[in-house]
Amino acid sequence: MKRLIATAVAAVFALSACGGGSDPLTQATPTTAASTGGSAPAAASVTIGSFDFPESVLLASIYAQALQAKGVTVTEKPNIGSREIVYDQIKTGGLTILPEYIGSLLAFVDKNATAKSTTDVVAALGTALPPELQVLAPAAAQDNNSLTVSKETATKNSLTTIEDLAKVSKDFIVGGPPEFKERQEENFKTVYGLEFKQWEPTGATTADAIKSGTIQVGNVFTTDPKIILNDLVSLEDNKSAFAAENVTPLVFKAGVDDTVKSTLDAISSKLTTQGLLDMMKKIAVDKDDPPVVAKDWLTANGLL
């Protein structure tokens, strides 16, 4: 669940954290094919939103630039907030397109969902989502939830799986996004019998908090390059507490036409987990701007 993240990442994403206190819903910038040098007539007019973490901003930019290249008029509303905030925007048509993660989305709309595989989660979403909304074809790319520890903690306590945490979790402080406790506490108890000493909202600083020892275990998303940079260990989810988290466009059905759908499907057909990890490294480590990284990926994959 996401998905559903101060550090080099936070510095790079001053634009993607809170916008200096400005309201992202008032900062929308419409762009069209004409404004980007294209000449094709607009096939549609869409509004693309994103969650308030860097990868979501990147994915939204990929969607936006690909659609602009097809003549679609795009308004971008980045960094809106958590799923609890953003979902209401797309459900009512305030947003047309949102890059989503299928497992976290299903858990949000159906608290009793048990589906875990990509196929089962997509099928469950077909029933659980309101009639106004639809998920398009999922990408192979996944950014999974994890419980991650330092290499030292893993070695000292012989931790390789989340199940192994049960013997030490009562002595551990666990961190993650602010909504992490509400979404996962009962799940961890049910599946693994985990009870933690304390829950801390660490957000984008989770990986650094693990490294510094401020927390002993944290919810770090698996495409975060700091897992490697900080020499962290993501524990195996051996009992599938977390569902598949394929990247998938969530759309307001009345606002998208065949051009929009086919363009987004083409993106999903090219997007891999390794590709997503490579792009996130460019942003978090190399400090490239998300729209630049998005454009380079689209160009390399023949989508611009």
Side-chain angles (χ1 to χ4, degrees):
M1 300 181 176
K2 295 292 153 257
R3 6 232 91 219
L4 25 179
I5 7 196
T7 65
V9 176
V12 173
F13 284 98
L15 73 157
S16 67
C18 296
S22 62
D23 182 355
L25 293 178
T26 66
Q27 301 297 317
T29 303
T31 48
T32 65
S35 69
T36 56
S39 58
S45 178
V46 300
T47 301
I48 302 177
S50 66
F51 299 118
D52 56 348
F53 60 88
E55 188 174 277
S56 184
V57 175
L58 168 68
L59 291 166
S61 186
I62 289 174
Y63 292 171
Q65 292 186 53
L67 289 169
Q68 290 162 16
K70 294 294 185 180
V72 178
T73 300
V74 177
T75 297
E76 296 183 67
K77 294 184 178 180
N79 310 303
I80 297 172
S82 68
R83 184 172 288 102
E84 284 79 359
I85 298 170
V86 181
Y87 182 78
D88 285 341
Q89 293 292 319
I90 193 163
K91 183 179 178 181
T92 58
L95 299 175
T96 321
I97 302 166
L98 176 68
E100 259 291 7
Y101 303 86
I102 58 172
S104 294
L105 175 61
L106 178 61
F108 181 78
V109 297
D110 181 0
K111 307 299 183 185
N112 298 314
T114 58
K116 300 297 182 182
S117 71
T118 299
T119 300
D120 289 346
V121 172
V122 171
L125 282 169
T127 301
L129 286 172
E132 298 86 359
L133 300 180
Q134 176 186 9
V135 287
L136 301 184
Q142 293 198 46
D143 185 0
N144 296 90
N145 282 287
S146 78
L147 284 181
T148 294
V149 299
S150 68
K151 188 173 182 179
E152 180 183 1
T153 296
T155 301
K156 178 181 178 180
N157 296 282
S158 300
L159 305 178
T160 59
T161 69
I162 296 179
E163 186 175 17
D164 292 335
L165 270 177
K167 59 191 177 187
V168 292
S169 62
K170 288 185 178 180
D171 299 321
F172 281 3
I173 299 173
V174 61
E179 62 275 9
F180 181 55
K181 183 177 188 292
E182 179 183 347
R183 294 179 181 177
Q184 293 291 353
E185 184 174 23
E186 191 59 39
N187 185 32
F188 291 150
K189 284 182 180 179
T190 301
V191 178
Y192 287 113
L194 300 184
E195 294 186 38
F196 292 100
K197 176 181 178 181
Q198 187 176 332
W199 292 71
E200 287 290 335
T202 49
T205 66
T206 302
D208 290 310
I210 296 170
K211 182 179 181 181
S212 70
T214 304
I215 61 176
Q216 287 72 55
V217 58
N219 177 222
V220 182
F221 301 120
T222 55
T223 57
D224 189 337
K226 285 207 165 185
I227 291 176
I228 296 174
L229 293 174
N230 288 357
D231 202 20
L232 306 181
V233 177
S234 291
L235 302 176
E236 180 189 352
D237 182 17
N238 58 307
K239 290 187 176 180
S240 299
F242 299 121
E245 293 286 9
N246 302 73
V247 174
T248 307
L250 174 66
V251 301
F252 183 72
K253 289 195 291 189
V256 296
D257 63 10
D258 289 343
T259 297
V260 172
K261 291 179 181 179
S262 63
T263 301
L264 295 175
D265 283 347
I267 292 169
S268 293
S269 72
K270 300 279 189 176
L271 190 61
T272 65
T273 301
Q274 186 60 52
L276 192 54
L277 182 59
D278 291 343
M279 286 189 282
M280 288 307 299
K281 178 182 178 297
K282 290 180 181 179
I283 292 169
V285 179
D286 302 336
K287 300 185 179 181
D288 292 343
D289 290 333
V292 174
V293 175
K295 182 177 180 180
D296 288 346
W297 182 85
L298 288 164
T299 301
N301 284 277
L303 297 170
L304 278 185

